[in-house]
Amino acid sequence: MPDVPVAVRRPQRADARRNFDALLAAAREIFAEQSTDASLEEIARRAGVGIGTLYRNFPTRRDLFEAVYVEEISQLSAAAETVAELPPWDALRAWLDRFVGYVVTKRAVVDALNRDSELFQACRVTMYAAGEPLMARAREAGAVRADASFDDVLRMISGLVSGAFVDEAQRDRVLNFALDGIRARP
């Protein structure tokens, strides 16, 4: 897998790194629950730190949005490495399941980001570099239809999971129906 060209710069000290990671996790959860208008004080409180710690790490709200987004892309890229040794279809499917979580975070912060920015474009390149080899491997193994592109699949999943579902079980069933459509038929 290629190196991740984008990454969040974590503090060096262990305690500062823990606070930083707690802030990112809390922000990701709260943005997904409440949107980007969520209270920064609530993010700090959920992370178990003071508001000063939040501002020391993320001087602006935009810095926090970008860090959450970049961290999500880094985790998505790492997931590709984690699943790479699975059988081709299983690897692709496991990565796409992780992609669903990314879509939820992206939906929460994407409007606050500049889609034309170098950061956003670099994140897109990183995501494709992580997932496209899994798709190619599954296609070469005969597990994925030859006419299904990686971009097609990501757009399909993004569209599906942006809808409202009764619960996660329903979302997973609908996702299974859709992914069954990209499987190669003997």
Side-chain angles (χ1 to χ4, degrees), residues 143-167:
V144 174
R145 293 170 43 160
D147 63 341
S149 77
F150 184 66
D151 189 63
D152 292 341
V153 173
L154 294 188
R155 288 175 189 277
M156 175 182 68
I157 292 172
S158 294
L160 281 174
V161 300
S162 67
F165 294 96
V166 172
D167 55 25

Side-chain angles (χ1 to χ4, degrees), residues 79-148:
E81 292 180 24
T82 301
V83 303
E85 297 303 316
L86 294 173
W89 174 257
D90 296 340
L92 177 62
R93 177 56 202 254
W95 189 84
L96 290 172
D97 285 339
R98 178 61 188 85
F99 177 78
V100 168
Y102 155 79
V103 171
V104 171
T105 299
K106 179 184 177 191
R107 192 175 53 225
V109 299
V110 74
D111 290 334
L113 298 174
N114 176 357
R115 294 177 196 210
D116 295 325
S117 73
E118 286 184 35
L119 173 74
F120 196 82
Q121 296 306 316
C123 285
R124 187 174 197 279
V125 167
T126 298
M127 179 178 59
Y128 275 64
E132 279 183 319
L134 299 172
M135 178 81 168
R137 191 169 142 242
R139 186 180 295 112
E140 289 167 11
V144 174
R145 293 170 43 160
D147 63 341

